[in-house]
Amino acid sequence: MESSFREHRRDLRQVALVILDGVEINAKNKQESIKTGVGILDLIENHSIIGLAREHIGTWAQCVTKETAKAVEELSFAKKMYNLMVGKVSNFVQLESFIKKEASSGNKKVEKKIQRGILNYSLIDTNNNHIFKKMSLSNTIKRALSASPKVLAADNPKFYAMVLDFTQSSADILEKELLKQNELKIGHDLQMREDQVKAMERTVDQKKKTIEGIFDFMLPCKSIIETNFRVRMDDGSHKVFSGYRAQHSHHRLPTKGGMRYAPDVDMDEVKALAALMTWKCAACDVPFGGGKAGITLDSKAYSVAELERITRAFAQQLNKHGFLGPAVDVPAPDMYTGEREMAWMANEYQRLNPTDLNAPACVTGKPISQGGVHGRVSATGRGVFHGTDLFINNQKYCDMIGLTTGWEGKTFVMQGFGNVGFHSARYFARKGAKCIGISEYNGDLFNENGIDILDLEDYKLKNGGSIVGYPGARAWNAETEGPLIEAECDILGVCAKEKVITADNAHKIKAKILSEGANGPITPKGHEILVKNNQLVIPDLYLNAGGVTVSYFEWLKNLNHVSYGRLTWQFTEDQNRAILGSVAQSLAAAGQNIPINASEELEKSIHGASEKDIVHSGLAFTMKRAGLKIMETADEFNLGLDVRTAAYISSLRKVYEVYSQAGFN
Ligand SMILES: NC(=O)C1=CN([C@@H]2O[C@H](COP(=O)(O)OP(=O)(O)OC[C@H]3O[C@@H](n4cnc5c(N)ncnc54)[C@H](OP(=O)(O)O)[C@@H]3O)[C@@H](O)[C@H]2O)C=CC1
Ligand SMILES: O=C(O)CCC(=O)C(=O)O
């Protein structure tokens, strides 16, 4: 499936190029048009009617108009039409009536163009033979192009297709660059014999094929398991659950990534999340391949005893099929799972593998008593803070979005008040930003004077896990005031779930910075709109990597069988006190009897670094280094505010290097 996805993209890219053959066009528009061509795939896959109108009209406008200026004008007109349609047109019938209405506006120029739009539209809708005939398109595309468009929601891509889309467009840029670097510079050397030239050509051709081969291999998921297992319920009945684990990349082992419990978990979702994990680990130089697991269930509907039996049964399945173990695949917490579930999994794995000395390293995010590491619980939120901190203090990025640098005086809205949202909000507020809104699944809170994050967390814990009714803020009425994430603020933390910002609402978001604590909260089309509107999206594959970074530290701790700082704690204190004593002695020898004491500040840290200190500084360093690398990549490829593409390119390049140096067997 994945390779055919790539084939389709290639076909479409070629279609776009053929279309452009007849059109002299400057490089920037050419790039845009290639994107447009590739974008057709989205509408085929998602049957997005808004996309359909935009992409078809845009692309066909280019293909029927063979003059440069006109082609550009048509494309911009198509885009204007698209913008007009957003929010008004979500199905085929609405599209037709929209076009008819616009076509009878009385403006001759508009009428003509709209007619051409309809013509182009119907060409593709019914005939499918114009320029596409010349291409050897795959059957899937032929079928899709000749089928009548389906009536579906505007921008609701499949999660895995969405991650592939982001990856593919970045891979295209990097692949092109690598191919360019390997281009043959012959013809200049007059001394070179023909056979030498031929040999060089063969080498270059082989290199090209290797590059393409590696790119084809890097993108798809490598191994996936679906397991249906039976669990006894408290009332004696038996229930069958579906669980999944995807291992996206084996370029480094073990594979690593969380495990979530949610009613809508399916194969597509875990594949998407596993792929994201690969690029996330690479972004932060965490030496793992990507993985993700999930069980399709509503965790709130089961007792603790039932959840324990479900988790243990799932661990048995993963273990049996080689999807669990310190050297092969290491899960961690994700949505609706936490330390408790990790403790059950570790315990079950240990029970099944009693001779494995490294058994505790089979999962991370465990409680401290089970081999967990200090700082894992808050790590993702801490990472979200560090990443946002790097960008919010960067003059160049702040200038691009028209914001002053620094946290002081900034306002933020947080979507999601679970593990990631709560800790991110806590650190944002600690640095001086004001939380004016919290959006949760079952209700939203607003207070323009600021919400006390710790107080709200206390309330949530005492109130059965719900923030509704919190006295320190008023309830936000989404019906009359609009969705809270669209409220005026400087920073929007998107820390709940995937696909919450799409082409349908991206243009309504006012925040200047969007911090992606969640995985996949913004669709490719949503992302495009935000970037165009000069908003800075700090992308998931970098920003929420704090969790897996500290998981890496936990895994290392388990393999080392000793906690961080234990061997140096006392030694460092003794040495520091000896230095102070030595200074006092030297002064005394010179006749100066001055007692040398540690200051209050030094006294606090006179001992060696604790596990918490090491984890926190290791995380801060990792986030800073990765963020700077991404900024450097953005500059190198001239990507402006498209930090997501920069992050993907940075990660792809690292994984590519591993494969190209490891070779093929
Ligand atoms: N935990 C981790 O270490 C990491 C998590 N992530 C990602 O962060 C995101 C959140 O995970 P995490 O915090 O661990 O999960 P949690 O289960 O702790 O929290 C999720 C929170 O989001 C809320 N929520 C769910 N849907 C919506 C919605 N549509 N609007 C507003 N709020 C909503 C939930 O509310 P309610 O409880 O009422 O349902 C819950 O409070 C996920 O995308 C996850 O993959 C990324 C990296 C690491
Ligand atoms: O800690 C880990 O291993 C993975 C965390 C995770 O699931 C994620 O980053 O999405």
Side-chain angles (χ1 to χ4, degrees), residues 104-309:
S104 56
S105 65
N107 180 335
K108 286 278 167 256
K109 208 170 163 197
V110 170
E111 269 184 32
K112 215 171 130 205
K113 287 182 179 204
I114 296 271
Q115 272 158 16
R116 181 177 293 163
I118 295 171
L119 175 73
N120 296 334
Y121 176 78
S122 62
L123 264 178
I124 216 163
D125 191 2
T126 54
N127 287 343
N128 179 32
N129 54 18
H130 200 61
I131 208 156
F132 287 93
K133 195 172 62 181
K134 294 185 198 151
M135 304 296 308
S136 61
L137 288 178
S138 71
N139 285 336
T140 321
I141 292 193
K142 278 187 192 153
R143 269 201 309 278
L145 287 174
S146 57
S148 59
K150 293 219 174 86
V151 180
L152 277 185
D155 182 21
N156 186 19
K158 289 249 189 200
F159 196 1
Y160 184 53
M162 172 177 137
V163 175
L164 266 181
D165 189 319
F166 282 135
T167 322
Q168 184 68 60
S169 50
S170 309
D172 283 348
I173 298 173
L174 180 62
E175 191 178 347
K176 211 166 106 199
E177 177 63 25
L178 289 167
L179 289 170
K180 204 166 81 193
Q181 282 168 13
N182 280 289
E183 261 168 23
L184 189 55
K185 309 255 178 324
I186 47 172
H188 303 293
D189 186 353
L190 296 174
Q191 307 298 320
M192 214 187 264
R193 292 195 321 267
E194 202 182 319
D195 58 335
Q196 285 177 317
V197 172
K198 286 243 160 62
M200 267 186 84
E201 274 173 351
R202 271 199 303 277
T203 315
V204 168
D205 188 52
Q206 186 49 53
K207 266 195 182 161
K208 183 171 166 262
K209 284 180 179 147
T210 305
I211 291 171
E212 285 172 354
I214 292 176
F215 272 86
D216 280 352
F217 184 60
M218 278 202 298
L219 268 47
C221 258
K222 302 302 174 296
S223 316
I224 307 144
I225 181 179
E226 172 180 343
T227 167
N228 295 294
F229 53 95
R230 186 176 57 122
V231 179
R232 184 174 43 79
M233 298 288 99
D234 289 345
D235 66 2
S237 65
H238 285 216
K239 210 168 165 168
V240 177
F241 292 90
S242 299
Y244 308 86
R245 177 80 179 172
Q247 297 176 345
H248 174 262
S249 176
H250 294 148
H251 73 288
R252 295 251 195 257
L253 286 170
T255 42
K256 188 85 188 81
M259 171 176 93
R260 60 169 57 172
Y261 291 170
D264 50 3
V265 162
D266 61 12
M267 178 87 88
D268 179 84
E269 184 169 308
V270 293
K271 277 169 67 183
L273 291 161
L276 259 176
M277 285 308 304
T278 294
W279 312 121
K280 192 183 301 189
C281 290
C284 288
D285 296 315
V286 169
F288 298 139
K292 201 80 170 198
I295 306 181
T296 316
L297 65 81
D298 176 2
S299 59
K300 289 169 187 149
Y302 297 94
S303 71
V304 173
E306 285 170 339
L307 286 173
E308 179 172 351
R309 287 196 291 276

Side-chain angles (χ1 to χ4, degrees), residues 471-539:
R474 73 170 173 85
W476 175 269
N477 187 337
E479 296 223 328
T480 56
E481 302 175 278
L484 182 55
I485 58 168
E486 292 169 15
E488 199 78 54
C489 64
D490 298 311
I491 308 155
L492 173 64
V494 267
C495 298
K497 56 179 291 197
E498 58 275 3
K499 291 192 276 181
V500 290
I501 298 179
T502 67
D504 305 333
N505 61 354
H507 55 290
K508 296 184 194 154
I509 304 289
K510 297 179 193 70
K512 285 280 176 197
I513 298 179
L514 288 94
S515 293
E516 288 193 331
N519 285 310
I522 303 177
T523 64
K525 286 187 179 128
H527 177 77
E528 204 181 309
I529 294 170
L530 292 164
V531 172
K532 270 195 193 130
N533 289 343
N534 289 334
Q535 285 155 295
L536 170 65
V537 178
I538 315 180

Side-chain angles (χ1 to χ4, degrees), residues 260 273 280 292 300 333-336 376 380 415-421 439-442 460 495-498 500 517-519 544 547:
R260 60 169 57 172
L273 291 161
K280 192 183 301 189
K292 201 80 170 198
K300 289 169 187 149
D334 195 72
M335 284 182 85
Y336 305 112
R376 173 60 184 91
T380 309
Q415 184 190 44
F417 199 64
N419 173 294
V420 180
S439 172
E440 265 277 89
Y441 204 70
N442 59 348
K460 185 182 163 183
C495 298
K497 56 179 291 197
E498 58 275 3
V500 290
N519 285 310
N544 69 33

